[in-house]
C-alpha cells in the first residue's frame, strides 16, 4: 500500500519506459511527493533487445518487467494503467480513457514511434519495431514466409517470399540484419530441408555510404565487412521511394521484389503529443527549454525521445538511445523537485557513455571515448552491458541462459508462429492461402515508454 501524503505535491509521469522509470526512481528517494506513473501497458519493455524477439531469439516476457513490481518498495510511487488523450495545461489536468488525472507537476516521457517520412506505402506495408506486439508480428511473418516458400512452385513468388528488406542502417537495422542472417543460416537451414541458403536474400538499405552512420570510420568499415560475411546485401547511397505488397522501389527506379520490409530508418515523437497543445518541433518532438521545461508551463517537463531541448534557435538534441532517455528522466525529476523547492534548475547536458552494436555471433563494435573495440571482446562487452541494464534478476538469468544455449548449439529456441494480432500470411498472399486464424484487430501504435 502506498504512503499517501495529503500535503505532498501530486506528480504525474507519463510513460514507463527508460525516461519515465528513471524519473520515478528519483522521486522514490525523496519525501514530499505523491507520484503516479501512467502507461497504457503495465510493464517496462527493454527495447534494445526487442530485435531478438523479432528474430526468434527471445520471448517478449523475457525482456519485460511489471511496473508495479518495480515500484513495490517505493512507497510514494503509484502506477495507473491508462491511455492519455490530451492535457489541459492551464487547469493542470490530464485527459485519459479512465477519466481526468490532476497534477501539480508533470513529466512527459511517452517516447517515440516509427517515422515513415511520408514514403508512399511504407506505413501500410512495412513493419516497424517499437513494441512487443510488433516484434511478434515480425517473427510470425518471417517464419510464415519460410513455411509458404517451402512448397511454392512459382520461382518469382518464392523469390519474393525469401527476400527480406531492412530499411535503415543504424544500430537496430544492423543488429536485426545480423540476427536474421544467423537465424536463416542455422535453425531455419536445418528446419527447411527443401530450401537452399542461397535462395534467401537479406537486403540492408541505407542512404549513407555504409552502416552505423555517426560511428568512427574504422567501426563502420568493420560492420560493413561483417555484414557482407554474413551474407547481408548492402544497398548504400539508396533511398526508398515506394513500398508495395510485393516490392520496394528505390530512388533510381530500382525495384526489389520482396514480401517483407522492416522499417528502422527513423523515429518521431509519439502522436499523443499532437493532442496536448504543446509546441512541437522537428519530428513531432516537444520543444523545451535547456532545463527540459515547457517555456510557458515550468511545472511541465519532457524527457526521452519526445523531448527537443532548444537554446534559442539552437536545438540541443542528444541521441535517441536508452542512456540519453535514462539521463533525461533522472534530470527532469531532479529539476522538477528543484522547481517546487525554489532552487535553481540546471540545464540538461548529455554524458556520452559510448555506443555499441552487435553484428551477429561473437561480433560487435564498441565506441567508448577514444576506445574502439571490435570482434569477440566487443561482443562480450555488449552482452554484459545489456544484461546489467535489463530490469529484473529473473529476466537476466533467463536471457543469459538463452544466449548460452544459442551460442553453444547454434539454435534459436523460439521458432513459433503464435496467434496473430494481424495476418502473418506474407503480404499479397492472403487470398491465395487458406488460413484458420481469426482476424485480429489492427495494431495500435505503441510508444517506447512501454
Amino acid at each position: 500500500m502506498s504512503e499517501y501524503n495529503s500535503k505532498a505535491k501530486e506528480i504525474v509521469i507519463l510513460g514507463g519506459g527508460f525516461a519515465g522509470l528513471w524519473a520515478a526512481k528519483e522521486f522514490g528517494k525523496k519525501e514530499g511527493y505523491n507520484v503516479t506513473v501512467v502507461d497504457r501497458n503495465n510493464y517496462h519493455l527493454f527495447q534494445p533487445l526487442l530485435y531478438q524477439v523479432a528474430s526468434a531469439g527471445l520471448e517478449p516476457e523475457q525482456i519485460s518487467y511489471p511496473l508495479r513490481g518495480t515500484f513495490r518498495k517505493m512507497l510514494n510511487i503509484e502506477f495507473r494503467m491508462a491511455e492519455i488523450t490530451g492535457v489541459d495545461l492551464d487547469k493542470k489536468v490530464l485527459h485519459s480513457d479512465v477519466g481526468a488525472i490532476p497534477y501539480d507537476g508533470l513529466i512527459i516521457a511517452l517516447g517515440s514511434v516509427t517515422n515513415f517520412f511520408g514514403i508512399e506505402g511504407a506505413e501500410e506495408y512495412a513493419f516497424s519495431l517499437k513494441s512487443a506486439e510488433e516484434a511478434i508480428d515480425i517473427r510470425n511473418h518471417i517464419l510464415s514466409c519460410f513455411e509458404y516458400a517451402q512448397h511454392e512452385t512459382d520461382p518469382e513468388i518464392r523469390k519474393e517470399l525469401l527476400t527480406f528488406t531492412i530499411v535503415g542502417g543504424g544500430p537496430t537495422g544492423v543488429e536485426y540484419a545480423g540476427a536474421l542472417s544467423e537465424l536463416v543460416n542455422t535453425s531455419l537451414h536445418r528446419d527447411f530441408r527443401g530450401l537452399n541458403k542461397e535462395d534467401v536474400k537479406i537486403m540492408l538499405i541505407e542512404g549513407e555510404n555504409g552502416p552505423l552512420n555517426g560511428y568512427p570510420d574504422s567501426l563502420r568499415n568493420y560492420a560493413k565487412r561483417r555484414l557482407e560475411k554474413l551474407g547481408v546485401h548492402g544497398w548504400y547511397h539508396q533511398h526508398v521511394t515506394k513500398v508495395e505488397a510485393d516490392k520496394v522501389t528505390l530512388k533510381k527506379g530500382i525495384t526489389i521484389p520482396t514480401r517483407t520490409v522492416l522499417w528502422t530508418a527513423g523515429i518521431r515523437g509519439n502522436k499523443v503529443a499532437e493532442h496536448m497543445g504543446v509546441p512541437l518541433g522537428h519530428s513531432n518532438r516537444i520543444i523545451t527549454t535547456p532545463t527540459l521545461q515547457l517555456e510557458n508551463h515550468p511545472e511541465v517537463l519532457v524527457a526521452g525521445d519526445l523531448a527537443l531541448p532548444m537554446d534559442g534557435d539552437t536545438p540541443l538534441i542528444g541521441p535517441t538511445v536508452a542512456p540519453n532517455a535514462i539521463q533525461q528522466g533522472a534530470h527532469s525529476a531532479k529539476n522538477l523537485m528543484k522547481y517546487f523547492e525554489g532552487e535553481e534548475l540546471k540545464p540538461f547536458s548529455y554524458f556520452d557513455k559510448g555506443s555499441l552494436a552487435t553484428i551477429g555471433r561473437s561480433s560487435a563494435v564498441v565506441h567508448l571515448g577514444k576506445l574502439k573495440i571490435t570482434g569477440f571482446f566487443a561482443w562480450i562487452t555488449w552482452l554484459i552491458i545489456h544484461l546489467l541494464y535489463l530490469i529484473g534478476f529473473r529476466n537476466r538469468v533467463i536471457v543469459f541462459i538463452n544466449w548460452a544455449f544459442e551460442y553453444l548449439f547454434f539454435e534459436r529456441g523460439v521458432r513459433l508462429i503464435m496467434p496473430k494480432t494481424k495476418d502473418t500470411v506474407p503480404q499479397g498472399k492472403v487470398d491465395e492461402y487458406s488460413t484458420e486464424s481469426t482476424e485480429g484487430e489492427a495494431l495500435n501504435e505503441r510508444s517506447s515508454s512501454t
Side-chain angles (χ1 to χ4, degrees):
M1 191 72 176
S2 297
E3 289 188 350
Y4 181 79
N5 183 346
S6 60
K7 296 182 180 179
K9 295 293 183 180
E10 297 294 334
I11 307 299
V12 175
I13 299 173
L14 297 185
F18 287 109
L21 190 58
W22 260 259
K25 286 182 177 182
E26 288 297 324
F27 278 108
K29 304 172 186 176
K30 192 77 175 288
E31 295 181 355
Y33 299 94
N34 296 323
V35 181
T36 302
V37 177
V38 180
D39 198 294
R40 65 186 300 176
N41 296 315
N42 74 332
Y43 57 86
H44 168 82
L45 178 68
F46 190 75
Q47 284 203 343
L49 292 180
L50 195 56
Y51 79 94
Q52 293 203 6
V53 176
S55 57
L58 298 172
E59 288 283 15
E61 61 267 24
Q62 295 166 0
I63 61 169
S64 305
Y65 196 81
L67 286 168
R68 289 188 180 275
T70 303
F71 304 136
R72 186 177 295 162
K73 296 181 180 180
M74 303 177 194
L75 300 182
N76 64 329
I77 310 291
E78 259 292 357
F79 171 74
R80 188 164 188 181
M81 191 167 72
E83 187 165 353
I84 299 301
T85 57
V87 60
D88 189 327
L89 295 172
D90 295 325
K91 295 182 179 179
K92 300 181 182 179
V93 174
L94 291 165
H95 302 295
S96 76
D97 59 350
V98 297
I101 304 175
Y103 65 84
D104 295 313
L106 175 65
I107 295 177
I108 305 173
L110 290 172
S112 58
V113 295
T114 300
N115 191 348
F116 294 102
F117 300 102
I119 302 299
E120 183 180 353
E123 189 166 1
E124 180 179 2
Y125 293 112
F127 288 93
S128 59
L129 187 55
K130 296 293 288 182
S131 70
E133 294 88 344
E134 290 175 335
I136 291 296
D137 282 335
I138 294 168
R139 188 184 77 191
N140 286 350
H141 177 83
I142 297 293
L143 296 175
S144 295
C145 282
F146 277 86
E147 292 289 349
Y148 294 127
Q150 173 86 351
H151 302 286
E152 179 56 64
T153 57
D154 187 325
E156 292 302 317
I157 294 179
R158 194 178 193 186
K159 181 179 179 182
E160 293 169 5
L161 289 170
L162 295 178
T163 299
F164 305 98
T165 305
I166 302 164
V167 182
T172 301
V174 167
E175 291 182 333
Y176 188 72
L180 181 58
S181 175
E182 290 201 330
L183 174 66
V184 168
N185 292 320
T186 55
S187 299
L188 297 187
H189 176 58
R190 294 191 291 266
D191 289 347
F192 295 91
R193 294 186 294 272
L195 298 177
N196 297 319
K197 290 192 292 185
E198 293 73 21
D199 295 334
V200 181
K201 305 294 182 186
I202 301 174
M203 310 290 187
L204 181 65
I205 301 174
E206 166 59 42
E208 300 296 329
N209 62 349
L212 299 180
N213 185 42
Y215 282 61
D217 288 342
S218 60
L219 301 186
R220 297 186 68 201
N221 291 332
Y222 172 85
K224 192 174 183 179
R225 293 193 302 270
R226 179 62 183 163
L227 288 169
E228 290 171 356
K229 188 174 182 179
L230 289 171
V232 177
H233 301 266
W235 290 68
Y236 305 124
H237 290 298
Q238 297 284 353
H239 293 87
V240 173
T241 59
K242 188 176 183 180
V243 180
E244 298 175 72
D246 57 358
K247 63 177 176 290
V248 167
T249 304
L250 304 183
K251 190 172 183 179
K252 296 180 180 180
I254 302 170
T255 60
I256 300 174
T258 180
R259 298 291 174 96
T260 307
V261 180
L262 175 62
W263 197 276
T264 66
I267 62 170
R268 65 196 297 269
N270 194 302
K271 289 186 176 180
V272 176
E274 298 174 2
H275 307 290
M276 288 188 162
V278 294
L280 300 179
H282 178 70
S283 297
N284 213 51
R285 298 166 74 176
I286 298 177
I287 297 173
T288 74
T289 66
T291 55
L292 303 180
Q293 296 170 288
L294 293 187
E295 187 171 4
N296 297 322
H297 295 275
E299 74 284 354
V300 179
L301 288 85
V302 189
D305 291 352
L306 192 56
L308 179 61
M310 299 285 291
D311 185 3
D313 294 330
T314 305
L316 307 174
I317 301 177
T320 53
V321 293
N324 186 56
I326 289 171
Q327 291 178 38
Q328 284 197 353
H331 191 86
S332 64
K334 292 174 182 177
N335 266 355
L336 189 54
M337 287 186 274
K338 288 178 184 293
Y339 170 76
F340 284 119
E341 292 163 16
E343 299 179 15
E344 183 180 356
L345 278 64
K346 294 182 179 180
F348 174 74
S349 178
Y350 174 61
F351 176 69
D352 189 357
K353 295 183 178 181
S355 305
L356 62 169
T358 183
I359 317 163
R361 176 188 180 87
S362 302
S363 179
V365 295
V366 174
H367 181 214
L368 301 172
K370 295 182 179 181
L371 184 63
K372 304 177 184 67
I373 313 173
T374 62
F376 180 77
F377 290 107
W379 182 68
I380 293 296
T381 302
W382 182 94
L383 293 178
I384 293 171
I385 289 175
H386 281 73
L387 283 175
L388 289 175
Y389 273 97
L390 191 60
I391 306 295
F393 177 75
R394 177 179 177 273
N395 283 354
R396 294 189 188 109
V397 172
I398 293 175
V399 169
F400 177 77
I401 292 172
N402 269 279
W403 285 347
F405 178 85
E406 180 185 331
Y407 185 80
L408 293 173
F409 298 103
F410 295 85
E411 187 74 281
R412 297 289 177 88
V414 197
R415 305 185 308 280
L416 309 174
I417 301 175
M418 301 300 292
K420 309 155 188 176
T421 58
K422 68 176 182 180
D423 284 315
T424 58
V425 176
Q427 298 165 1
K429 305 293 288 184
V430 176
D431 295 331
E432 297 181 41
Y433 292 101
S434 174
T435 65
E436 297 180 357
S437 63
T438 303
E439 181 180 355
E441 294 180 351
L443 277 182
N444 292 321
E445 283 195 284
R446 304 274 178 147
S447 75
S448 63
S449 63
T450 56

